[in-house]
Amino acid sequence: MSGKGAPQAVETVDASGLDVVVIAGMWHDVITDGLIAGAKRALDSAGATWRLVRVPGSFELPVAAKTALEAGADAVVALGVIIRGGTPHFEFVSSAATDGLTRVALDTGKPVGFGVLTLDDEAQGIARAGFADSEEDKGREAADAAIRTALVLRELRAG
């Protein structure tokens, strides 16, 4: 795990007027709940309007994200946890979630904050979930990236 080189946001942005949907998988609820709490902190401090939607797992994130964006959301924050096991399932789900969310962003022209953790074990997830003793807060980072990108896109479209 490396947070080395991560951007350090100097100030909170004003995301009032942005409608954001946080979509989170149901697997590994302790880690996922930490990611959701981190996203909530970022969205609340920026003043964005947001709501939480739960889907069964990370594989379902892209279709829910696409639907939310097509229904009018300005951005989506996709949160999920995929832990490596002894079968190729990890690679299939990780690729499907990553490729699907990238496609959703490109197809809709709207940002998808990527907070899908691909892990070797639960300890790595706890270290990234934004708890008091965690090394990183990936839920907050994903939400911050989504709202900052939504604001950049708004500015670019305004000319």
Side-chain angles (χ1 to χ4, degrees):
M1 167 177 47
S2 174
K4 190 175 184 177
Q8 300 300 312
V10 225
E11 59 188 49
T12 301
V13 296
D14 179 5
S16 55
L18 284 184
D19 176 31
V20 180
V21 178
V22 176
I23 303 172
M26 294 180 189
W27 281 83
H28 305 287
D29 60 336
V30 170
I31 298 169
T32 304
D33 288 350
L35 295 172
I36 292 167
K40 177 186 184 317
R41 286 190 293 274
L43 295 166
D44 287 347
S45 70
T49 300
W50 68 277
R51 64 191 163 108
L52 173 66
V53 176
R54 300 300 295 260
V55 295
S58 294
F59 187 83
E60 292 78 22
L61 291 170
V63 70
K66 185 171 191 279
T67 301
L69 293 170
E70 288 175 341
D74 296 304
V76 160
V77 180
L79 304 174
V81 178
I82 308 168
I83 299 180
R84 186 179 307 277
T87 69
H89 181 75
F90 173 86
E91 283 79 13
F92 298 145
V93 175
S94 297
S95 291
T98 302
D99 295 346
L101 290 169
T102 300
R103 182 175 154 199
V104 166
L106 294 172
D107 288 353
T108 63
K110 296 181 180 183
V112 176
F114 189 81
V116 179
L117 302 184
T118 53
L119 310 166
D120 289 322
D121 56 46
E122 282 188 22
Q124 289 178 340
I126 298 296
R128 293 181 172 113
F131 300 118
D133 57 348
S134 294
E135 298 169 32
E136 297 178 281
D137 189 347
K138 294 300 184 183
R140 183 197 57 76
E141 290 176 22
D144 186 67
I147 59 177
R148 287 179 188 274
T149 304
L151 294 171
V152 167
L153 295 178
R154 178 184 283 172
E155 182 181 322
L156 290 170
R157 290 180 178 123

